[in-house]
Amino acid sequence: MESPNLSYWEKASFYSSDVLIVGSGIVGLNAAITIKKQQPNVTVTVLERGFLPSGASTKNAGFACFGSLSELMEQEKICGTTLLHQLISKRWNGLQKLRSLVGDSRLDLEINGGFELFKPSEIDLSEECVSKIGHFNDIVKDITNEKNVFNIADSKIESFGFEGIDCLIENKLEAQLDPGKMIKALIEKATSLGVTILNSCAVNHFEKEDNSILVSTSQGTFRGKKLLFCTNAFANQLMPKLELKPGRGQVLITKPFENLKLKGTFHYDKGYYYFRNVGNRILLGGGRNLDFFTEETHQFGETPLVQNTLIRLLKEVILPKTAFEIDQKWSGIMAFGPELSPIIDEVSPNVFCAVRCNGMGIAIGSQTGEEAGEIVLRSL
Ligand SMILES: Cc1cc2nc3c(=O)[nH]c(=O)nc-3n(C[C@H](O)[C@H](O)[C@H](O)COP(=O)(O)OP(=O)(O)OC[C@H]3O[C@@H](n4cnc5c(N)ncnc54)[C@H](O)[C@@H]3O)c2cc1C
C-alpha cells in the first residue's frame, strides 16, 4: 500500500532504513539499541502497530525471575541439566544487562525475593521440590555467584497471611520491577542513540525487491536492507511456519491496602498463577490452564471463568481475612512453543526473527534482542 500525500522529504527520511525492526517490545528495543551502540551509522527504524507497544512487554507482571523451583524441575525434565543451565544463564545475564542498561532506580527494581506456594494436596510436588533444593542451588551457584539461592521459608506463611498453604520455597534473588517504566526507559535509550520509532504502523506484508525488502504497512511502504521481526506471539501471523502459539495472560490489580504485609513475587499452582505487591496493592494474574483453548488467542480480553477464579484465589488463599476491591483488569499476549529457547534466526535471506520468550521475557528479552541485533549486524 502506498500512503497518499507523502513528500519527497518524508519518503527519504522516514521510509527507508538500513534495518527495519517490527515490534517495540523489550526484544525489538534491545535489538535496536544493540545495533546503534555497535554501529552508530547504521540507520534503524522500529515499526510498532500500537499507539503503545501492544503485546506483552508493558502488560506483564514485572517479575524479574529466572524460574521457580517447580518450573525449573519441569524444564529440566524437558531439556536436561546442561541446556537448563544454559537457559538459566541467559535469563540471569539478560536481567543483568537490562539492569546495567537502564539502572535499577529507573526500573523501580526491588529485590524482595520470590516465593513458591504449595497446597497440602500438592504434597508429592512440594516434597520433590524440597528434595531438589540442593541440586538447583548447585546449578545456579556459578551463574549467580550466590550460595543457597533457594530455601524453605515455611515460617513466613503466617506473616504473609496465607490460608491453605503448608509449604513455601524462597528464591532470595528474585526481583520485581515496573514494566511501564522499563519500556519507557528503553524507548528513551533507543531514541537517544538515533533509533526512529514509528507507532500506529502495522506491518501487513513483506517482499524482496532487488537487494532490499519492501515492507507494506498501514502507513505506506517502507524499504530496508534487513528486516527483523520482534513480534513475539504475533510472529506467525506473517510467518506461519514459526513454531509458536499465542497465550493470553489475564491480570488484575487491587486498590491499595493500609497495612499490606505481603512483599515480593509469588508463584502458585506450578506457576500458572502469579502475584506480587505493587506498593500497597496486589497484582494477580494467570489461570490460562483453566481453558487453554480459549486462551490460545491473539485477542486481548477477559473471561468470567479466569476472572472469577482469580478473585476466589484472592479471597481464599492470598487475602483470606482482608476485604479488597479490584481497581483494574487487563490482558497481554505471550508466545509459547515446544522448546524453551527463543527462536533467533534468519528465516529467509535478509529477514530475521527474535521471538517466543515463553512467558519469561523480562529475564531473557534483553539477551534475545542483543543476540538478534548482533546477527543482523554481522549480515550487513
Ligand atoms: C500477563 C503477562 C504477564 C507476564 N509476566 C511476566 C513476568 O512477570 N516476568 C517475565 O519475565 N515475563 C512476563 N511475561 C512475558 C513477557 O512480558 C514477554 O515474554 C515479553 O514482554 C516479550 O517481549 P517481546 O518484545 O518479545 O514481545 P512483545 O512485548 O509482545 O512485543 C511485540 C510487539 O510487536 C508488535 N507487533 C506485533 N505484530 C505487529 C505488526 N504486524 N506490525 C507492527 N507491530 C507489530 C506488538 O504490538 C508488540 O508491541 C508476561 C506476559 C504477560 C502477557
Side-chain angles (χ1 to χ4, degrees), residues 302-354:
E302 292 106 40
T303 60
L305 175 66
V306 172
Q307 292 296 318
N308 291 339
T309 308
L310 294 179
I311 288 174
R312 206 165 50 243
L313 190 59
L314 276 175
K315 273 188 190 150
E316 292 175 2
V317 177
I318 305 170
L319 292 165
K321 297 184 186 84
T322 314
F324 59 86
E325 281 181 81
I326 306 301
D327 198 15
Q328 222 182 305
K329 300 170 192 170
W330 68 89
S331 67
I333 316 288
M334 21 190 171
F336 295 96
E339 284 170 41
L340 295 169
S341 309
I343 311 171
I344 309 172
D345 207 359
E346 184 164 9
V347 285
S348 60
N350 300 318
V351 179
F352 303 80
C353 76

Side-chain angles (χ1 to χ4, degrees), residues 78 83 243 336-342 356 358:
I78 299 172
L83 214 72
E243 273 198 301
F336 295 96
E339 284 170 41
L340 295 169
S341 309
R356 199 181 66 190
N358 267 318

Side-chain angles (χ1 to χ4, degrees), residues 49-61:
R49 73 167 164 204
F51 164 66
L52 295 174
S54 303
S57 294
T58 48
K59 304 201 183 278
N60 63 55

